[in-house]
Amino acid sequence: MFIRRSVAAAAVSLVAVTAAACGTQRGEQAQSAGPPPSFTPRPMCAEPVEAPSDPPSPPVPSVAGTRQEGNGDQAPHYAENHAYRMQASLTPDERARGQASAKLVREELEKVRKEGGAGEHGAFGEERIAAALSRLGCGEEHGVYIGPGFYSVHTGVVCVSGYVTKDELTSEVHGAYIEPQPGTGPCVKNRGGH
């Protein structure tokens, strides 16, 4: 009988201690306000001094709200096989911020063009393009990629990509690619497959 009482008392004590500790955390974990993020966001660069006040109007919604049967002339599983080319979608606010960042990027790259000195095929040296982007705070940690006449950078919000040669200067604001070209950063379209 004494053993039964001891075992019962130990069980009650164990349940009480366990229940009292439920939901508590130790040390630095207790300081956390929520779950840790599933990814580390990129630092910001090419930020406009003022946030844009009027975001661009959203695209016109599709009129045909019905789902199409079959896949038309496309091969089976076409969409799944080409998912690696998909880009992250942008909110109107992100697109407006991206347009403001793209304007800053174009202004810096226009300075490079005005200085002249284009090389083969009208392209400027990678170091000159990198220097222009670094003046905006954009570096390797922003996924900067520079190829012959091409540049791309992730501003921390959107991708700004385009061409800079002696004859043209373009920029496009878009979301990061789901599976970008390996070795190039998040803003370069994958030319291969997955």
Side-chain angles (χ1 to χ4, degrees):
M1 187 109 165
F2 177 72
I3 296 176
R4 279 189 178 165
R5 285 186 194 166
S6 297
V7 171
V12 168
S13 297
L14 181 63
V15 169
V17 168
T18 304
C22 190
T24 60
Q25 297 177 352
R26 292 186 177 171
E28 294 178 25
Q29 289 179 338
Q31 306 290 328
S32 175
S38 61
F39 69 96
T40 303
R42 290 193 180 275
M44 305 295 274
C45 77
E47 290 188 274
V49 176
E50 289 184 17
S53 58
D54 293 328
S57 59
V60 178
S62 172
V63 177
T66 60
R67 185 176 180 194
Q68 293 181 334
E69 294 298 321
N71 60 0
D73 291 339
Q74 296 178 344
H77 306 290
Y78 180 86
E80 293 92 345
N81 291 336
H82 290 83
Y84 68 94
R85 295 181 179 171
M86 291 177 56
Q87 298 173 354
S89 59
L90 300 176
T91 65
D93 180 57
E94 290 170 332
R95 185 161 301 283
R97 289 178 64 191
Q99 293 292 351
S101 294
K103 181 180 178 195
L104 294 174
V105 169
R106 281 191 313 274
E107 288 171 357
E108 284 299 320
L109 294 176
E110 187 60 41
K111 293 175 187 176
V112 171
R113 291 179 69 216
K114 285 182 180 179
E115 291 170 2
E120 188 176 347
H121 305 291
F124 296 96
E126 291 182 17
E127 62 282 342
R128 291 183 62 198
I129 304 303
L133 294 173
S134 72
R135 289 192 292 268
L136 296 170
C138 301
E140 191 174 312
E141 67 275 14
H142 300 96
V144 169
Y145 175 75
I146 302 166
F150 177 80
Y151 70 93
S152 70
V153 61
H154 194 282
T155 67
V157 178
V158 301
C159 289
V160 177
S161 302
Y163 294 93
V164 56
T165 65
K166 71 176 189 164
D167 297 324
E168 77 176 321
L169 175 58
T170 65
S171 65
E172 175 190 0
V173 174
H174 58 91
Y177 285 96
I178 304 301
E179 293 182 38
Q181 181 68 24
T184 62
C187 302
V188 180
K189 185 176 182 175
N190 193 323
R191 291 174 287 187
H194 51 157

